[in-house]
PDB file of all heavy atoms in Angstrom:
ATOM      1  N   SER A 396     -76.428 -92.105  46.091  1.00 97.00           N
ATOM      2  CA  SER A 396     -77.867 -92.096  45.910  1.00 97.00           C
ATOM      3  C   SER A 396     -78.389 -93.249  45.058  1.00 97.00           C
ATOM      4  O   SER A 396     -79.585 -93.546  45.082  1.00 97.00           O
ATOM      5  CB  SER A 396     -78.317 -90.770  45.292  1.00 97.00           C
ATOM      6  OG  SER A 396     -77.709 -90.565  44.034  1.00 97.00           O
ATOM      7  N   VAL A 397     -77.500 -93.899  44.308  1.00 98.00           N
ATOM      8  CA  VAL A 397     -77.944 -94.978  43.422  1.00 98.00           C
ATOM      9  C   VAL A 397     -77.335 -96.327  43.762  1.00 98.00           C
ATOM     10  O   VAL A 397     -77.687 -97.332  43.129  1.00 98.00           O
ATOM     11  CB  VAL A 397     -77.652 -94.651  41.944  1.00 98.00           C
ATOM     12  CG1 VAL A 397     -78.244 -93.301  41.574  1.00 98.00           C
ATOM     13  CG2 VAL A 397     -76.154 -94.682  41.664  1.00 98.00           C
ATOM     14  N   LYS A 398     -76.471 -96.379  44.742  1.00 98.00           N
ATOM     15  CA  LYS A 398     -75.840 -97.636  45.113  1.00 98.00           C
ATOM     16  C   LYS A 398     -76.881 -98.676  45.513  1.00 98.00           C
ATOM     17  O   LYS A 398     -77.801 -98.390  46.264  1.00 98.00           O
ATOM     18  CB  LYS A 398     -74.861 -97.427  46.267  1.00 98.00           C
ATOM     19  CG  LYS A 398     -73.570 -96.752  45.868  1.00 98.00           C
ATOM     20  CD  LYS A 398     -72.619 -96.626  47.051  1.00 98.00           C
ATOM     21  CE  LYS A 398     -71.311 -95.980  46.631  1.00 98.00           C
ATOM     22  NZ  LYS A 398     -70.387 -95.813  47.780  1.00 98.00           N
ATOM     23  N   GLY A 399     -76.708 -99.861  44.992  1.00 97.00           N
ATOM     24  CA  GLY A 399     -77.636-100.936  45.281  1.00 97.00           C
ATOM     25  C   GLY A 399     -78.833-100.973  44.365  1.00 97.00           C
ATOM     26  O   GLY A 399     -79.580-101.956  44.364  1.00 97.00           O
ATOM     27  N   ARG A 400     -79.033 -99.916  43.587  1.00 98.00           N
ATOM     28  CA  ARG A 400     -80.178 -99.851  42.685  1.00 98.00           C
ATOM     29  C   ARG A 400     -79.770 -99.829  41.219  1.00 98.00           C
ATOM     30  O   ARG A 400     -80.476-100.374  40.376  1.00 98.00           O
ATOM     31  CB  ARG A 400     -81.030 -98.619  42.992  1.00 98.00           C
ATOM     32  CG  ARG A 400     -81.591 -98.591  44.401  1.00 98.00           C
ATOM     33  CD  ARG A 400     -82.590 -97.452  44.584  1.00 98.00           C
ATOM     34  NE  ARG A 400     -81.966 -96.144  44.378  1.00 98.00           N
ATOM     35  CZ  ARG A 400     -82.317 -95.287  43.413  1.00 98.00           C
ATOM     36  NH1 ARG A 400     -83.290 -95.605  42.565  1.00 98.00           N
ATOM     37  NH2 ARG A 400     -81.710 -94.114  43.311  1.00 98.00           N
ATOM     38  N   PHE A 401     -78.656 -99.184  40.928  1.00 98.00           N
ATOM     39  CA  PHE A 401     -78.177 -99.066  39.551  1.00 98.00           C
ATOM     40  C   PHE A 401     -76.951 -99.940  39.346  1.00 98.00           C
ATOM     41  O   PHE A 401     -76.140-100.121  40.263  1.00 98.00           O
ATOM     42  CB  PHE A 401     -77.793 -97.623  39.226  1.00 98.00           C
ATOM     43  CG  PHE A 401     -78.950 -96.661  39.143  1.00 98.00           C
ATOM     44  CD1 PHE A 401     -80.223 -97.005  39.556  1.00 98.00           C
ATOM     45  CD2 PHE A 401     -78.732 -95.381  38.641  1.00 98.00           C
ATOM     46  CE1 PHE A 401     -81.274 -96.107  39.482  1.00 98.00           C
ATOM     47  CE2 PHE A 401     -79.773 -94.471  38.560  1.00 98.00           C
ATOM     48  CZ  PHE A 401     -81.048 -94.835  38.977  1.00 98.00           C
ATOM     49  N   THR A 402     -76.795-100.439  38.143  1.00 98.00           N
ATOM     50  CA  THR A 402     -75.622-101.219  37.781  1.00 98.00           C
ATOM     51  C   THR A 402     -75.085-100.742  36.437  1.00 98.00           C
ATOM     52  O   THR A 402     -75.825-100.707  35.452  1.00 98.00           O
ATOM     53  CB  THR A 402     -75.943-102.719  37.688  1.00 98.00           C
ATOM     54  OG1 THR A 402     -76.431-103.196  38.941  1.00 98.00           O
ATOM     55  CG2 THR A 402     -74.684-103.502  37.318  1.00 98.00           C
ATOM     56  N   ILE A 403     -73.818-100.374  36.417  1.00 98.00           N
ATOM     57  CA  ILE A 403     -73.190 -99.964  35.174  1.00 98.00           C
ATOM     58  C   ILE A 403     -72.363-101.126  34.638  1.00 98.00           C
ATOM     59  O   ILE A 403     -71.744-101.874  35.394  1.00 98.00           O
ATOM     60  CB  ILE A 403     -72.316 -98.708  35.371  1.00 98.00           C
ATOM     61  CG1 ILE A 403     -71.830 -98.167  34.023  1.00 98.00           C
ATOM     62  CG2 ILE A 403     -71.152 -98.980  36.308  1.00 98.00           C
ATOM     63  CD1 ILE A 403     -71.157 -96.796  34.118  1.00 98.00           C
ATOM     64  N   SER A 404     -72.368-101.285  33.340  1.00 98.00           N
ATOM     65  CA  SER A 404     -71.594-102.338  32.701  1.00 98.00           C
ATOM     66  C   SER A 404     -71.168-101.862  31.323  1.00 98.00           C
ATOM     67  O   SER A 404     -71.639-100.831  30.840  1.00 98.00           O
ATOM     68  CB  SER A 404     -72.407-103.639  32.600  1.00 98.00           C
ATOM     69  OG  SER A 404     -73.570-103.446  31.819  1.00 98.00           O
ATOM     70  N   ARG A 405     -70.283-102.601  30.698  1.00 97.00           N
ATOM     71  CA  ARG A 405     -69.833-102.211  29.367  1.00 97.00           C
ATOM     72  C   ARG A 405     -69.459-103.425  28.544  1.00 97.00           C
ATOM     73  O   ARG A 405     -69.136-104.493  29.076  1.00 97.00           O
ATOM     74  CB  ARG A 405     -68.648-101.241  29.453  1.00 97.00           C
ATOM     75  CG  ARG A 405     -67.390-101.850  30.053  1.00 97.00           C
ATOM     76  CD  ARG A 405     -66.331-100.778  30.309  1.00 97.00           C
ATOM     77  NE  ARG A 405     -65.740-100.276  29.081  1.00 97.00           N
ATOM     78  CZ  ARG A 405     -64.939 -99.206  29.008  1.00 97.00           C
ATOM     79  NH1 ARG A 405     -64.670 -98.517  30.107  1.00 97.00           N
ATOM     80  NH2 ARG A 405     -64.424 -98.828  27.842  1.00 97.00           N
ATOM     81  N   ASP A 406     -69.519-103.236  27.254  1.00 96.00           N
ATOM     82  CA  ASP A 406     -69.105-104.244  26.293  1.00 96.00           C
ATOM     83  C   ASP A 406     -68.047-103.579  25.435  1.00 96.00           C
ATOM     84  O   ASP A 406     -68.363-102.797  24.538  1.00 96.00           O
ATOM     85  CB  ASP A 406     -70.285-104.716  25.450  1.00 96.00           C
ATOM     86  CG  ASP A 406     -69.933-105.869  24.532  1.00 96.00           C
ATOM     87  OD1 ASP A 406     -68.762-105.981  24.121  1.00 96.00           O
ATOM     88  OD2 ASP A 406     -70.829-106.670  24.220  1.00 96.00           O
ATOM     89  N   ASN A 407     -66.800-103.872  25.714  1.00 94.00           N
ATOM     90  CA  ASN A 407     -65.709-103.216  25.012  1.00 94.00           C
ATOM     91  C   ASN A 407     -65.707-103.515  23.512  1.00 94.00           C
ATOM     92  O   ASN A 407     -65.343-102.665  22.701  1.00 94.00           O
ATOM     93  CB  ASN A 407     -64.366-103.618  25.620  1.00 94.00           C
ATOM     94  CG  ASN A 407     -64.180-103.066  27.017  1.00 94.00           C
ATOM     95  OD1 ASN A 407     -64.736-102.023  27.370  1.00 94.00           O
ATOM     96  ND2 ASN A 407     -63.393-103.761  27.828  1.00 94.00           N
ATOM     97  N   ALA A 408     -66.088-104.718  23.163  1.00 94.00           N
ATOM     98  CA  ALA A 408     -66.119-105.097  21.751  1.00 94.00           C
ATOM     99  C   ALA A 408     -67.147-104.285  20.973  1.00 94.00           C
ATOM    100  O   ALA A 408     -66.989-104.054  19.774  1.00 94.00           O
ATOM    101  CB  ALA A 408     -66.404-106.582  21.604  1.00 94.00           C
ATOM    102  N   LYS A 409     -68.202-103.865  21.660  1.00 95.00           N
ATOM    103  CA  LYS A 409     -69.260-103.092  21.023  1.00 95.00           C
ATOM    104  C   LYS A 409     -69.169-101.600  21.308  1.00 95.00           C
ATOM    105  O   LYS A 409     -70.024-100.834  20.872  1.00 95.00           O
ATOM    106  CB  LYS A 409     -70.628-103.600  21.473  1.00 95.00           C
ATOM    107  CG  LYS A 409     -70.922-105.026  21.068  1.00 95.00           C
ATOM    108  CD  LYS A 409     -72.304-105.452  21.537  1.00 95.00           C
ATOM    109  CE  LYS A 409     -72.621-106.865  21.106  1.00 95.00           C
ATOM    110  NZ  LYS A 409     -73.968-107.298  21.571  1.00 95.00           N
ATOM    111  N   SER A 410     -68.144-101.199  22.051  1.00 96.00           N
ATOM    112  CA  SER A 410     -67.964 -99.799  22.435  1.00 96.00           C
ATOM    113  C   SER A 410     -69.236 -99.243  23.065  1.00 96.00           C
ATOM    114  O   SER A 410     -69.666 -98.123  22.762  1.00 96.00           O
ATOM    115  CB  SER A 410     -67.559 -98.959  21.214  1.00 96.00           C
ATOM    116  OG  SER A 410     -66.331 -99.399  20.676  1.00 96.00           O
ATOM    117  N   THR A 411     -69.812-100.024  23.945  1.00 97.00           N
ATOM    118  CA  THR A 411     -71.098 -99.683  24.532  1.00 97.00           C
ATOM    119  C   THR A 411     -71.050 -99.744  26.058  1.00 97.00           C
ATOM    120  O   THR A 411     -70.440-100.648  26.626  1.00 97.00           O
ATOM    121  CB  THR A 411     -72.190-100.636  24.025  1.00 97.00           C
ATOM    122  OG1 THR A 411     -72.275-100.538  22.597  1.00 97.00           O
ATOM    123  CG2 THR A 411     -73.544-100.278  24.623  1.00 97.00           C
ATOM    124  N   VAL A 412     -71.700 -98.789  26.683  1.00 97.00           N
ATOM    125  CA  VAL A 412     -71.853 -98.786  28.123  1.00 97.00           C
ATOM    126  C   VAL A 412     -73.341 -98.802  28.437  1.00 97.00           C
ATOM    127  O   VAL A 412     -74.147 -98.192  27.731  1.00 97.00           O
ATOM    128  CB  VAL A 412     -71.153 -97.566  28.769  1.00 97.00           C
ATOM    129  CG1 VAL A 412     -71.774 -96.254  28.292  1.00 97.00           C
ATOM    130  CG2 VAL A 412     -71.205 -97.662  30.291  1.00 97.00           C
ATOM    131  N   TYR A 413     -73.694 -99.506  29.500  1.00 98.00           N
ATOM    132  CA  TYR A 413     -75.083 -99.655  29.892  1.00 98.00           C
ATOM    133  C   TYR A 413     -75.287 -99.152  31.314  1.00 98.00           C
ATOM    134  O   TYR A 413     -74.370 -99.148  32.132  1.00 98.00           O
ATOM    135  CB  TYR A 413     -75.518-101.118  29.841  1.00 98.00           C
ATOM    136  CG  TYR A 413     -75.272-101.803  28.523  1.00 98.00           C
ATOM    137  CD1 TYR A 413     -74.088-102.516  28.302  1.00 98.00           C
ATOM    138  CD2 TYR A 413     -76.216-101.751  27.507  1.00 98.00           C
ATOM    139  CE1 TYR A 413     -73.858-103.155  27.099  1.00 98.00           C
ATOM    140  CE2 TYR A 413     -75.983-102.392  26.290  1.00 98.00           C
ATOM    141  CZ  TYR A 413     -74.805-103.088  26.101  1.00 98.00           C
ATOM    142  OH  TYR A 413     -74.584-103.721  24.898  1.00 98.00           O
ATOM    143  N   LEU A 414     -76.498 -98.769  31.594  1.00 98.00           N
ATOM    144  CA  LEU A 414     -76.880 -98.432  32.954  1.00 98.00           C
ATOM    145  C   LEU A 414     -78.215 -99.097  33.237  1.00 98.00           C
ATOM    146  O   LEU A 414     -79.244 -98.692  32.702  1.00 98.00           O
ATOM    147  CB  LEU A 414     -76.994 -96.921  33.160  1.00 98.00           C
ATOM    148  CG  LEU A 414     -77.284 -96.483  34.597  1.00 98.00           C
ATOM    149  CD1 LEU A 414     -76.085 -96.801  35.500  1.00 98.00           C
ATOM    150  CD2 LEU A 414     -77.600 -94.991  34.667  1.00 98.00           C
ATOM    151  N   GLN A 415     -78.170-100.143  34.048  1.00 98.00           N
ATOM    152  CA  GLN A 415     -79.383-100.831  34.460  1.00 98.00           C
ATOM    153  C   GLN A 415     -79.903-100.158  35.718  1.00 98.00           C
ATOM    154  O   GLN A 415     -79.220-100.140  36.740  1.00 98.00           O
ATOM    155  CB  GLN A 415     -79.102-102.305  34.729  1.00 98.00           C
ATOM    156  CG  GLN A 415     -80.304-103.095  35.215  1.00 98.00           C
ATOM    157  CD  GLN A 415     -81.400-103.202  34.185  1.00 98.00           C
ATOM    158  OE1 GLN A 415     -81.144-103.573  33.045  1.00 98.00           O
ATOM    159  NE2 GLN A 415     -82.619-102.857  34.566  1.00 98.00           N
ATOM    160  N   MET A 416     -81.092 -99.602  35.634  1.00 98.00           N
ATOM    161  CA  MET A 416     -81.679 -98.872  36.744  1.00 98.00           C
ATOM    162  C   MET A 416     -82.878 -99.643  37.278  1.00 98.00           C
ATOM    163  O   MET A 416     -83.803 -99.955  36.534  1.00 98.00           O
ATOM    164  CB  MET A 416     -82.101 -97.473  36.302  1.00 98.00           C
ATOM    165  CG  MET A 416     -80.966 -96.654  35.694  1.00 98.00           C
ATOM    166  SD  MET A 416     -81.471 -94.973  35.245  1.00 98.00           S
ATOM    167  CE  MET A 416     -82.585 -95.345  33.881  1.00 98.00           C
ATOM    168  N   SER A 417     -82.842 -99.938  38.555  1.00 98.00           N
ATOM    169  CA  SER A 417     -83.920-100.666  39.208  1.00 98.00           C
ATOM    170  C   SER A 417     -84.385 -99.892  40.427  1.00 98.00           C
ATOM    171  O   SER A 417     -83.709 -98.984  40.901  1.00 98.00           O
ATOM    172  CB  SER A 417     -83.457-102.066  39.618  1.00 98.00           C
ATOM    173  OG  SER A 417     -83.031-102.821  38.509  1.00 98.00           O
ATOM    174  N   SER A 418     -85.547-100.280  40.945  1.00 98.00           N
ATOM    175  CA  SER A 418     -86.129 -99.610  42.106  1.00 98.00           C
ATOM    176  C   SER A 418     -86.115 -98.102  41.932  1.00 98.00           C
ATOM    177  O   SER A 418     -85.725 -97.349  42.831  1.00 98.00           O
ATOM    178  CB  SER A 418     -85.372-100.011  43.380  1.00 98.00           C
ATOM    179  OG  SER A 418     -85.421-101.406  43.586  1.00 98.00           O
ATOM    180  N   LEU A 419     -86.548 -97.670  40.778  1.00 98.00           N
ATOM    181  CA  LEU A 419     -86.483 -96.253  40.443  1.00 98.00           C
ATOM    182  C   LEU A 419     -87.383 -95.415  41.338  1.00 98.00           C
ATOM    183  O   LEU A 419     -88.473 -95.828  41.730  1.00 98.00           O
ATOM    184  CB  LEU A 419     -86.852 -96.043  38.982  1.00 98.00           C
ATOM    185  CG  LEU A 419     -85.736 -96.412  37.997  1.00 98.00           C
ATOM    186  CD1 LEU A 419     -86.294 -96.602  36.595  1.00 98.00           C
ATOM    187  CD2 LEU A 419     -84.658 -95.331  37.999  1.00 98.00           C
ATOM    188  N   LYS A 420     -86.888 -94.231  41.640  1.00 98.00           N
ATOM    189  CA  LYS A 420     -87.587 -93.275  42.485  1.00 98.00           C
ATOM    190  C   LYS A 420     -87.844 -91.995  41.710  1.00 98.00           C
ATOM    191  O   LYS A 420     -87.132 -91.691  40.751  1.00 98.00           O
ATOM    192  CB  LYS A 420     -86.747 -92.954  43.721  1.00 98.00           C
ATOM    193  CG  LYS A 420     -86.329 -94.159  44.544  1.00 98.00           C
ATOM    194  CD  LYS A 420     -85.382 -93.736  45.662  1.00 98.00           C
ATOM    195  CE  LYS A 420     -84.938 -94.922  46.487  1.00 98.00           C
ATOM    196  NZ  LYS A 420     -83.997 -94.516  47.570  1.00 98.00           N
ATOM    197  N   PRO A 421     -88.839 -91.223  42.111  1.00 97.00           N
ATOM    198  CA  PRO A 421     -89.090 -89.943  41.434  1.00 97.00           C
ATOM    199  C   PRO A 421     -87.858 -89.042  41.402  1.00 97.00           C
ATOM    200  O   PRO A 421     -87.674 -88.290  40.439  1.00 97.00           O
ATOM    201  CB  PRO A 421     -90.210 -89.320  42.274  1.00 97.00           C
ATOM    202  CG  PRO A 421     -90.968 -90.507  42.787  1.00 97.00           C
ATOM    203  CD  PRO A 421     -89.904 -91.530  43.097  1.00 97.00           C
ATOM    204  N   GLU A 422     -87.019 -89.115  42.415  1.00 97.00           N
ATOM    205  CA  GLU A 422     -85.816 -88.299  42.465  1.00 97.00           C
ATOM    206  C   GLU A 422     -84.792 -88.685  41.405  1.00 97.00           C
ATOM    207  O   GLU A 422     -83.819 -87.960  41.189  1.00 97.00           O
ATOM    208  CB  GLU A 422     -85.176 -88.379  43.861  1.00 97.00           C
ATOM    209  CG  GLU A 422     -84.663 -89.758  44.231  1.00 97.00           C
ATOM    210  CD  GLU A 422     -84.296 -89.876  45.702  1.00 97.00           C
ATOM    211  OE1 GLU A 422     -85.221 -90.013  46.523  1.00 97.00           O
ATOM    212  OE2 GLU A 422     -83.097 -89.808  46.025  1.00 97.00           O
ATOM    213  N   ASP A 423     -84.986 -89.822  40.759  1.00 98.00           N
ATOM    214  CA  ASP A 423     -84.104 -90.233  39.674  1.00 98.00           C
ATOM    215  C   ASP A 423     -84.459 -89.544  38.361  1.00 98.00           C
ATOM    216  O   ASP A 423     -83.726 -89.679  37.380  1.00 98.00           O
ATOM    217  CB  ASP A 423     -84.163 -91.748  39.472  1.00 98.00           C
ATOM    218  CG  ASP A 423     -83.634 -92.525  40.668  1.00 98.00           C
ATOM    219  OD1 ASP A 423     -82.597 -92.120  41.223  1.00 98.00           O
ATOM    220  OD2 ASP A 423     -84.259 -93.536  41.036  1.00 98.00           O
ATOM    221  N   THR A 424     -85.559 -88.845  38.338  1.00 98.00           N
ATOM    222  CA  THR A 424     -85.981 -88.144  37.133  1.00 98.00           C
ATOM    223  C   THR A 424     -84.944 -87.106  36.725  1.00 98.00           C
ATOM    224  O   THR A 424     -84.577 -86.239  37.507  1.00 98.00           O
ATOM    225  CB  THR A 424     -87.338 -87.466  37.350  1.00 98.00           C
ATOM    226  OG1 THR A 424     -88.335 -88.459  37.598  1.00 98.00           O
ATOM    227  CG2 THR A 424     -87.738 -86.656  36.124  1.00 98.00           C
ATOM    228  N   ALA A 425     -84.473 -87.213  35.500  1.00 98.00           N
ATOM    229  CA  ALA A 425     -83.437 -86.317  34.997  1.00 98.00           C
ATOM    230  C   ALA A 425     -83.126 -86.664  33.553  1.00 98.00           C
ATOM    231  O   ALA A 425     -83.590 -87.678  33.034  1.00 98.00           O
ATOM    232  CB  ALA A 425     -82.165 -86.439  35.846  1.00 98.00           C
ATOM    233  N   VAL A 426     -82.332 -85.817  32.934  1.00 98.00           N
ATOM    234  CA  VAL A 426     -81.752 -86.163  31.651  1.00 98.00           C
ATOM    235  C   VAL A 426     -80.437 -86.874  31.936  1.00 98.00           C
ATOM    236  O   VAL A 426     -79.599 -86.355  32.674  1.00 98.00           O
ATOM    237  CB  VAL A 426     -81.508 -84.928  30.772  1.00 98.00           C
ATOM    238  CG1 VAL A 426     -80.827 -85.324  29.469  1.00 98.00           C
ATOM    239  CG2 VAL A 426     -82.825 -84.219  30.482  1.00 98.00           C
ATOM    240  N   TYR A 427     -80.276 -88.038  31.373  1.00 98.00           N
ATOM    241  CA  TYR A 427     -79.077 -88.833  31.600  1.00 98.00           C
ATOM    242  C   TYR A 427     -78.144 -88.718  30.402  1.00 98.00           C
ATOM    243  O   TYR A 427     -78.561 -88.873  29.253  1.00 98.00           O
ATOM    244  CB  TYR A 427     -79.447 -90.298  31.839  1.00 98.00           C
ATOM    245  CG  TYR A 427     -80.012 -90.539  33.220  1.00 98.00           C
ATOM    246  CD1 TYR A 427     -81.267 -90.052  33.566  1.00 98.00           C
ATOM    247  CD2 TYR A 427     -79.281 -91.238  34.178  1.00 98.00           C
ATOM    248  CE1 TYR A 427     -81.774 -90.248  34.838  1.00 98.00           C
ATOM    249  CE2 TYR A 427     -79.789 -91.438  35.451  1.00 98.00           C
ATOM    250  CZ  TYR A 427     -81.038 -90.940  35.776  1.00 98.00           C
ATOM    251  OH  TYR A 427     -81.544 -91.142  37.039  1.00 98.00           O
ATOM    252  N   TYR A 428     -76.881 -88.458  30.694  1.00 98.00           N
ATOM    253  CA  TYR A 428     -75.876 -88.259  29.660  1.00 98.00           C
ATOM    254  C   TYR A 428     -74.770 -89.296  29.765  1.00 98.00           C
ATOM    255  O   TYR A 428     -74.297 -89.604  30.852  1.00 98.00           O
ATOM    256  CB  TYR A 428     -75.238 -86.877  29.779  1.00 98.00           C
ATOM    257  CG  TYR A 428     -76.186 -85.720  29.592  1.00 98.00           C
ATOM    258  CD1 TYR A 428     -76.851 -85.159  30.675  1.00 98.00           C
ATOM    259  CD2 TYR A 428     -76.402 -85.174  28.334  1.00 98.00           C
ATOM    260  CE1 TYR A 428     -77.714 -84.088  30.513  1.00 98.00           C
ATOM    261  CE2 TYR A 428     -77.261 -84.103  28.166  1.00 98.00           C
ATOM    262  CZ  TYR A 428     -77.913 -83.562  29.254  1.00 98.00           C
ATOM    263  OH  TYR A 428     -78.763 -82.492  29.081  1.00 98.00           O
ATOM    264  N   CYS A 429     -74.355 -89.777  28.638  1.00 98.00           N
ATOM    265  CA  CYS A 429     -73.226 -90.686  28.554  1.00 98.00           C
ATOM    266  C   CYS A 429     -71.941 -89.884  28.358  1.00 98.00           C
ATOM    267  O   CYS A 429     -71.928 -88.885  27.634  1.00 98.00           O
ATOM    268  CB  CYS A 429     -73.438 -91.646  27.382  1.00 98.00           C
ATOM    269  SG  CYS A 429     -72.069 -92.774  27.054  1.00 98.00           S
ATOM    270  N   ASN A 430     -70.881 -90.313  29.000  1.00 97.00           N
ATOM    271  CA  ASN A 430     -69.584 -89.672  28.872  1.00 97.00           C
ATOM    272  C   ASN A 430     -68.506 -90.740  28.735  1.00 97.00           C
ATOM    273  O   ASN A 430     -68.624 -91.831  29.296  1.00 97.00           O
ATOM    274  CB  ASN A 430     -69.305 -88.798  30.101  1.00 97.00           C
ATOM    275  CG  ASN A 430     -67.896 -88.248  30.128  1.00 97.00           C
ATOM    276  OD1 ASN A 430     -67.048 -88.705  30.896  1.00 97.00           O
ATOM    277  ND2 ASN A 430     -67.634 -87.253  29.292  1.00 97.00           N
ATOM    278  N   ALA A 431     -67.460 -90.416  27.988  1.00 97.00           N
ATOM    279  CA  ALA A 431     -66.392 -91.388  27.800  1.00 97.00           C
ATOM    280  C   ALA A 431     -65.055 -90.707  27.581  1.00 97.00           C
ATOM    281  O   ALA A 431     -64.988 -89.621  27.008  1.00 97.00           O
ATOM    282  CB  ALA A 431     -66.700 -92.302  26.617  1.00 97.00           C
ATOM    283  N   GLY A 432     -64.004 -91.360  28.041  1.00 96.00           N
ATOM    284  CA  GLY A 432     -62.651 -90.936  27.757  1.00 96.00           C
ATOM    285  C   GLY A 432     -62.178 -91.675  26.529  1.00 96.00           C
ATOM    286  O   GLY A 432     -62.115 -92.908  26.528  1.00 96.00           O
ATOM    287  N   ILE A 433     -61.836 -90.936  25.496  1.00 96.00           N
ATOM    288  CA  ILE A 433     -61.552 -91.540  24.205  1.00 96.00           C
ATOM    289  C   ILE A 433     -60.250 -91.012  23.613  1.00 96.00           C
ATOM    290  O   ILE A 433     -59.974 -89.817  23.664  1.00 96.00           O
ATOM    291  CB  ILE A 433     -62.706 -91.273  23.218  1.00 96.00           C
ATOM    292  CG1 ILE A 433     -63.977 -91.976  23.699  1.00 96.00           C
ATOM    293  CG2 ILE A 433     -62.346 -91.736  21.803  1.00 96.00           C
ATOM    294  CD1 ILE A 433     -65.206 -91.658  22.881  1.00 96.00           C
ATOM    295  N   ARG A 434     -59.470 -91.910  23.058  1.00 94.00           N
ATOM    296  CA  ARG A 434     -58.309 -91.533  22.279  1.00 94.00           C
ATOM    297  C   ARG A 434     -58.652 -91.765  20.822  1.00 94.00           C
ATOM    298  O   ARG A 434     -59.043 -92.871  20.434  1.00 94.00           O
ATOM    299  CB  ARG A 434     -57.082 -92.336  22.697  1.00 94.00           C
ATOM    300  CG  ARG A 434     -55.816 -91.953  21.926  1.00 94.00           C
ATOM    301  CD  ARG A 434     -54.564 -92.398  22.682  1.00 94.00           C
ATOM    302  NE  ARG A 434     -54.471 -93.843  22.768  1.00 94.00           N
ATOM    303  CZ  ARG A 434     -53.837 -94.608  21.888  1.00 94.00           C
ATOM    304  NH1 ARG A 434     -53.241 -94.042  20.831  1.00 94.00           N
ATOM    305  NH2 ARG A 434     -53.788 -95.921  22.042  1.00 94.00           N
ATOM    306  N   THR A 435     -58.497 -90.745  20.018  1.00 92.00           N
ATOM    307  CA  THR A 435     -58.861 -90.827  18.608  1.00 92.00           C
ATOM    308  C   THR A 435     -57.674 -91.245  17.754  1.00 92.00           C
ATOM    309  O   THR A 435     -56.547 -91.373  18.236  1.00 92.00           O
ATOM    310  CB  THR A 435     -59.410 -89.487  18.106  1.00 92.00           C
ATOM    311  OG1 THR A 435     -58.385 -88.488  18.178  1.00 92.00           O
ATOM    312  CG2 THR A 435     -60.599 -89.046  18.940  1.00 92.00           C
ATOM    313  N   VAL A 436     -57.945 -91.422  16.494  1.00 88.00           N
ATOM    314  CA  VAL A 436     -56.916 -91.841  15.550  1.00 88.00           C
ATOM    315  C   VAL A 436     -55.791 -90.813  15.455  1.00 88.00           C
ATOM    316  O   VAL A 436     -54.612 -91.170  15.388  1.00 88.00           O
ATOM    317  CB  VAL A 436     -57.522 -92.089  14.159  1.00 88.00           C
ATOM    318  CG1 VAL A 436     -56.423 -92.334  13.123  1.00 88.00           C
ATOM    319  CG2 VAL A 436     -58.476 -93.270  14.203  1.00 88.00           C
ATOM    320  N   VAL A 437     -56.144 -89.535  15.489  1.00 85.00           N
ATOM    321  CA  VAL A 437     -55.145 -88.480  15.312  1.00 85.00           C
ATOM    322  C   VAL A 437     -54.551 -87.980  16.622  1.00 85.00           C
ATOM    323  O   VAL A 437     -53.536 -87.285  16.611  1.00 85.00           O
ATOM    324  CB  VAL A 437     -55.732 -87.285  14.541  1.00 85.00           C
ATOM    325  CG1 VAL A 437     -56.161 -87.714  13.154  1.00 85.00           C
ATOM    326  CG2 VAL A 437     -56.903 -86.677  15.301  1.00 85.00           C
ATOM    327  N   GLY A 438     -55.153 -88.318  17.734  1.00 77.00           N
ATOM    328  CA  GLY A 438     -54.684 -87.835  19.017  1.00 77.00           C
ATOM    329  C   GLY A 438     -53.893 -88.869  19.792  1.00 77.00           C
ATOM    330  O   GLY A 438     -54.152 -90.067  19.713  1.00 77.00           O
TER     331      GLY A 438
END
């Protein structure tokens, strides 16, 4: 549903992920959540 309109990218040095959304449609209305697979210091 978002191919060609959204672009995901990341900056590993900044531990940041981005989502560039273009040509937005009303159906894109939602709460957007970030998720990540992380290994911690103790795990």
Side-chain angles (χ1 to χ4, degrees):
S396 60
V397 306
K398 285 182 178 178
R400 300 188 298 118
F401 291 11
T402 301
I403 188 170
S404 61
R405 65 189 288 170
D406 186 332
N407 292 332
K409 297 181 179 179
S410 298
T411 300
V412 63
Y413 306 93
L414 185 67
Q415 178 65 51
M416 304 183 292
S417 300
S418 301
L419 283 162
K420 305 174 181 179
E422 65 192 78
D423 295 317
T424 297
V426 177
Y427 284 70
Y428 298 91
C429 176
N430 172 254
I433 295 174
R434 181 160 66 92
T435 64
V436 172
V437 298

